[in-house]
Amino acid sequence: MIEALPGEGVPGEQILGELRELRRADLPTHGGRLFAYVYDPALDGLDDLARAAYAISAHVNGLDPTAFPSLLAMENALVGAAATLLNGGGPAVGSVTSGGTESLILAVKAARDSRPELTTPRLVIPSTGHAAFAKAAHYLRVALDVVPVGADLRADPAAMAAAITGDTVLVAASAPSYAHGVVDPIPALAAAAAERGVRFHVDACFGGWVLPYLRRLGADLPEFDFAVPGVTSISVDLHKYAYAPKGVSILLHRDEALRRPQYFAYAGWPGYTMINPVISSTRSGGPIAAAVATLRSIGDNGYLQLAGRTREAVAILAAAVEATDGVRLFTPPETSVVCLTADDPAVDLFVLADELAVRGWHTQPQMSFAELPATIHLTVTAAVRATAGEFAADLAAAVAAARARGPVVLPEALLAAAGALTPEMVTPELVAGLAEGLGLGGGDFTRMAAVNSLLDVTPPALREALLTGFLSLLQRPAPATE
Ligand SMILES: Cc1ncc(COP(=O)(O)O)c(C=O)c1O
């Protein structure tokens, strides 16, 4: 536990030691064995550079670019680089946001506010669209129309077109989707939206900085950017495959007029007139300077090489999955995601994820959804090229161990109790009791198979309530000690 406000200040060296000690509990952000949350190019010296750049601009405030022209220059440079990479150079404009979710919220806001006459603006997405679209719809009171994807896990252009109504302000799709790493058929979808005069957003938050390079390397991937007529906006996260430290995404619009309703302006109070392109008003220049340093240090050729390493790592991991009895690729990997599932009832995927973690491979289990089975997701970055060769043996051992342990069998009483629960019945006491019963009380999250199995059979609304309750349990200060 760390005391944030001691009576007397504490020496810097001691504080840094405490922070390092705290970090020891985290998953490893470097080393090519964590397949979610972090993106590692494994380039010597890059972290130090980004840190130094961050420090230079940490106290610069993005609230007013006329006061801090350094930030304006850096933001324009980042937006320009993204626009060029995504074939929007020239008329395309954009904003630097804090992350993919903020970029998507703002894309939806701009679309909504471009049609002020509508009382029920609507957003159309495929069922594989990122959860941040649901968050945007929720925050902005835009109705969400979710269209099932086809058997190939891609948005279905005919079904998406059929979902467009006179109230639709935005149609969106992914390039690629997070869960499976597949690219939606952007040209057909954008054409359908354009035909109805509706904005079309490409969520390239995840892959927007690696897809252009994979295409340059010869990967058979469809066009997905401003080269496609009808694409009106694109989001791309620099804190993903551009390998910048956390806190930077770009939202691009094809032209200035499309961006205009993204701004919020308010002069109706006695203080300064607030004009914000993004959700935050005061914001640090640190992440933006770190992103500029990262892009300039790696450069276009560097990104091409990193994409090449990522591609090789994907191929090695995919071959390991194919060579292992008991698991199979859920879909052929076409970008930077390897997604696998079990093909033997004796192999419980959630037990397998635990067994991989025990062997130092931290993957992301994905619950079953509609007709889709549970899967394990691996976000592959360039750092994985160095470790990928060790994966096959550990995967085989983990599958054997999962077989030996057998599938999770949840106690009948627990299943019955969970089956009778509704989201309204989820109280803090119930969540605390459940967490204790499932062994989560001590803060050790390495053996999660039982928890995941229970969540997997829990309807989405109840799962949301349980996990909200659990996070709320975690996110509170320790009781004060005398
Ligand atoms: C396709 C896609 N869109 C949006 C997001 C949200 O990004 P963030 O977590 O930076 O808010 C993600 C994150 O993984 C993503 O993969």
Side-chain angles (χ1 to χ4, degrees), residues 37 39 98-104 128-133 135 173-179 203-207 235 237 239-240 246-249 364 377 379:
Y37 312 112
Y39 298 77
S98 64
T101 300
E102 186 180 356
S103 290
L104 296 185
T128 49
H130 195 276
F133 283 116
K135 181 171 172 176
S174 321
S177 64
Y178 177 79
D203 176 8
C205 284
F206 179 67
S235 49
D237 294 354
H239 62 203
K240 295 194 170 82
K246 297 293 178 228
V248 187
S249 167
Q364 192 167 52
H377 166 110
T379 289

Side-chain angles (χ1 to χ4, degrees), residues 253-267:
H253 295 274
R254 188 183 278 277
D255 61 43
E256 174 61 38
L258 288 162
R259 179 176 65 172
R260 188 52 61 88
Q262 181 192 313
Y263 282 86
F264 175 81
Y266 193 70

Side-chain angles (χ1 to χ4, degrees), residues 7 133 164 175 195-196 205 213-215 236 352 380 383 403 413 438 465:
F133 283 116
I164 300 174
E195 200 171 294
R196 303 287 296 270
C205 284
Y213 296 103
L214 292 176
R215 293 186 79 220
V236 53
L352 174 61
V380 182
R403 263 207 188 91
L438 287 164

Side-chain angles (χ1 to χ4, degrees), residues 159-321:
M160 293 277 288
I164 300 174
T165 72
D167 287 339
T168 305
V169 295
L170 185 68
V171 177
S174 321
S177 64
Y178 177 79
H180 311 116
V182 302
V183 182
D184 285 326
I186 301 300
L189 295 165
E195 200 171 294
R196 303 287 296 270
V198 176
R199 291 177 179 227
F200 182 74
H201 180 80
V202 176
D203 176 8
C205 284
F206 179 67
W209 214 268
V210 71
L211 283 189
Y213 296 103
L214 292 176
R215 293 186 79 220
R216 261 196 242 171
L217 290 167
D220 182 19
L221 292 166
E223 285 193 316
F224 71 98
D225 59 21
F226 286 119
V228 178
V231 170
T232 53
S233 57
I234 306 178
S235 49
V236 53
D237 294 354
L238 302 189
H239 62 203
K240 295 194 170 82
Y241 281 98
Y243 297 111
K246 297 293 178 228
V248 187
S249 167
I250 307 276
L251 171 60
L252 296 169
H253 295 274
R254 188 183 278 277
D255 61 43
E256 174 61 38
L258 288 162
R259 179 176 65 172
R260 188 52 61 88
Q262 181 192 313
Y263 282 86
F264 175 81
Y266 193 70
W269 74 307
Y272 56 88
T273 300
M274 195 167 85
I275 313 287
N276 292 154
V278 297
I279 295 177
S280 298
S281 196
T282 284
R283 56 206 166 97
S284 169
I288 292 161
V292 169
T294 304
L295 262 63
R296 282 188 60 70
S297 172
I298 296 177
D300 194 51
N301 272 332
Y303 282 114
L304 189 64
Q305 285 167 21
L306 291 171
R309 262 176 248 160
T310 303
R311 200 175 181 211
E312 287 167 13
V314 165
I316 294 168
L317 298 177
V321 173

